[in-house]
Amino acid sequence: NEIQVAQIANPNKAKASLYDYGVHIPMIIAGPAVVSPHRTTDALVSTPDIFATIAELSGFSNWRARIPVGTVIDSKSFLPLIANQSVAIRTWTFTDQFNVPTIPADGKTIRNADYHLIRLDTGGELLFNQSTDPEENIDLLTHNPTANDIANYHFLCDSLNVLMGTSSCQTLATNGVAVANKMLVFPNPASDYLQIETDLDVQSLRLTNLLGEEVAAASLPPKMQLSSLPNGVYYLHILARNKQEIHRKVMIFR
């Protein structure tokens, strides 16, 4: 069975589990539309994205206009990845595991580029840093999380709450360890702009709403204009050229 062929130390974290080795499935794309074949990307994509991608590959670029008003659309085209454009398609991916009858391993999971949050239907939560702990052995929620761990937890927890219609996130405190990089985002709450001060070599700045939809972007600090955005809660995604990604919750209030 699948556990017997698992290529990790703990086969209980393979298929039939919510751990990354259980839900992360590589995607292979081939065809004449692929620019610069035989390459890889670590961009996040999800199964519903195949719909939008096939539609746009077929030349149907205005497919959204044919969807009934009020319909939730969770498909995002990854055609830019096929065209070899360095674009982040998603800020998170979501997986739901359920059995009939239910078992203790059932639950929901959401991850971004580096962090993975598991919320079991029994009520427990687990948080892992995929970039440093790919086999998910260290639950950061019980191992003195850093400021960056906490910021990523709240980004994923808030996003999951929006998806599930829930409102619970843990209150976490740092272990007092200094953050390696200077990162100041102010004012917060903001009104017309965000000021970003950091010693990171920044590649891009993106602001998304709680559904993960990009609403503003900037190539470099120090400012991001917000005057056209309505009041609400947003997330700032700072991507450094060393691929480090930092998230900050931002409130717009006028």
Side-chain angles (χ1 to χ4, degrees):
N1 59 36
E2 61 272 10
I3 291 181
Q4 292 174 322
V5 299
Q7 300 298 302
I8 56 175
N10 185 352
N12 292 321
K13 295 181 178 180
K15 291 301 178 186
S17 82
L18 288 167
Y19 291 90
D20 198 62
Y21 273 90
V23 299
H24 182 181
I25 303 172
M27 176 178 286
I28 300 173
I29 302 172
V34 177
V35 176
S36 301
H38 310 294
R39 57 184 168 84
T40 61
T41 175
D42 57 3
L44 298 175
V45 296
S46 187
T47 302
D49 300 335
I50 295 175
F51 169 79
T53 306
I54 291 177
E56 294 187 9
L57 276 171
S58 303
F60 193 20
S61 59
N62 65 336
W63 59 270
R64 287 179 179 270
R66 305 296 295 273
I67 304 294
V69 175
T71 302
V72 175
I73 302 173
D74 57 5
S75 184
K76 299 178 182 291
S77 172
F78 52 82
L79 188 56
L81 299 178
I82 295 176
N84 199 20
Q85 299 171 1
S86 181
V87 176
I89 303 302
R90 287 184 169 272
T91 53
W92 47 256
T93 56
F94 166 82
T95 304
D96 186 9
Q97 176 175 292
F98 53 91
N99 289 272
V100 180
T102 185
I103 62 174
D106 286 348
K108 287 80 180 169
T109 175
I110 187 170
R111 68 160 294 174
N112 59 20
D114 292 327
Y115 285 81
H116 183 202
L117 175 64
I118 296 174
R119 181 183 293 173
L120 299 170
D121 287 347
T122 54
E125 287 186 333
L126 305 164
L127 179 70
F128 304 99
N129 186 335
Q130 272 286 307
S131 64
T132 59
D133 180 26
E135 292 199 9
E136 299 183 325
N137 295 313
I138 301 173
D139 174 16
L140 297 173
L141 297 180
T142 59
H143 283 76
N144 297 320
T146 66
N148 198 44
D149 297 337
I150 292 173
N152 278 274
Y153 166 73
H154 281 292
F155 166 66
L156 293 173
C157 185
D158 288 345
S159 299
L160 186 57
N161 284 338
V162 170
L163 286 171
M164 304 306 302
T166 53
S167 59
S168 59
C169 288
Q170 298 184 40
T171 301
L172 303 175
T174 67
N175 58 7
V177 176
V179 179
N181 297 101
K182 171 187 175 184
M183 178 60 63
L184 298 176
V185 178
F186 61 95
N188 194 7
S191 57
D192 296 324
Y193 70 91
L194 272 182
Q195 184 85 16
I196 300 115
E197 294 184 5
T198 179
D199 56 6
L200 283 172
D201 183 9
V202 175
Q203 177 175 317
S204 66
L205 298 166
R206 302 171 55 246
L207 196 71
T208 65
N209 60 23
L210 289 178
L211 293 177
E213 299 167 333
E214 183 177 301
V215 295
S219 56
L220 293 172
K223 278 191 176 182
M224 176 178 282
Q225 295 298 322
L226 308 175
S227 56
S228 64
L229 298 177
N231 290 352
V233 178
Y234 299 84
Y235 274 94
L236 177 67
H237 308 267
I238 302 122
L239 177 63
R241 296 191 187 280
N242 64 2
K243 302 306 180 183
Q244 181 181 357
E245 189 169 357
I246 296 175
H247 306 277
R248 291 290 185 270
K249 182 189 287 187
V250 174
M251 291 186 65
I252 298 179
F253 180 77
R254 302 181 183 91

